[in-house]
Amino acid sequence: MKETREFLESLGYPSSDPGELPTSTKTFPDGAQYRIELPSVEGPEALKATLAEIDRLGLTVHRISQGSGIMLQTDEEIKEMCELTAERGIELSLFVGPRGTWDISAGPLTAAGKAQALRHEGANQLVYAMEDLKRGAALGLRGALVADEGLLLLTKEMKKQGQLPEDFVVKVSVQMGSANPVSVRLMQDIGADTYNVPTGLTLSKLAAIRQAIDIPIDLYVEVPDNFGGFLRYYEIPEIIRVLAPVYIKFGLRNHPDVYPSGKQWESTNISLTQERVRRASIGIQMIERYCPDAKASKLGAEGLGIAKIVKEAPMN
């Protein structure tokens, strides 16, 4: 194996998962080591409940993300979510719209085809996804989740040619599934601004990925059931030390599948967001208890995809 390991090293990749976990010297642009993310905030009412609970508990949350997507929000709803987060300096990230599991193909829903996950099938699906991104950006959005390598590359080209703002943060979803230093570096190279790693990787495997990339890593410390349901709260201090810059992401166990969401789930979504914020408070208390010197970003920090406030809806 010596020759193979040397070959990997010659290409600039780690050749093994480190036994002794190294301290990351990488940071966010503001010098911070970590930020806090709350996912699955489905629509303006859930967002309002989330922000109220954040205020009640006195927390700092840097990113709000959502899974139902740009496509299933009205212009007014997207603008409202942009306004609510922009005035606080919080990043808003909405999932790109039509994707594999919402298409008419059965492939992603079969036992053997689940690896297709939320990828886009055919050229039309890519066009629809690009339109979703352009619409969101025109309404003020400056962050979105993608789960397809082709779309990821296209976001990079769209930024180059002015079809997306240069400061638009492209967050790669955990659904992408890349799980080693070379594949995650590839995601960085083709346009990822931040990467949500698979939920069950050991710190040693994650440390190897951190050595290979410079972009922030997003990591669930409470994991939804359909991704494993792990609770990694006591690992948070080491996660920050080893993986900085890192988004500490608080999902929720025993969370029903509410995607795509809407009025039929609104009361449930509000309850879920309130509990998710409470879980974040538990994690933040662990940071204060076990690694109080760890540096968090302030709201509005450089690199956050903070939405712009657009008073009038754009005309197509």
Side-chain angles (χ1 to χ4, degrees), residues 72-98:
L72 292 182
Q73 298 286 312
T74 67
D75 288 1
E76 292 73 22
E77 287 169 337
I78 292 172
K79 287 170 61 181
E80 185 175 7
M81 294 185 79
C82 286
E83 290 168 6
L84 287 167
T85 51
E87 65 188 15
R88 292 169 174 255
I90 296 174
E91 177 176 316
L92 176 66
S93 188
L94 306 184
F95 220 119
V96 74

Side-chain angles (χ1 to χ4, degrees), residues 39 199 219-224 229-233 249-254 275 279-280:
T199 61
L219 179 64
Y220 277 103
V221 295
E222 179 162 347
V223 182
F230 317 119
L231 278 70
R232 305 182 69 170
Y233 285 81
K249 185 171 179 177
F250 294 92
L252 194 61
R253 282 286 302 269
N254 300 317
E275 181 57 25
R279 297 288 228 274

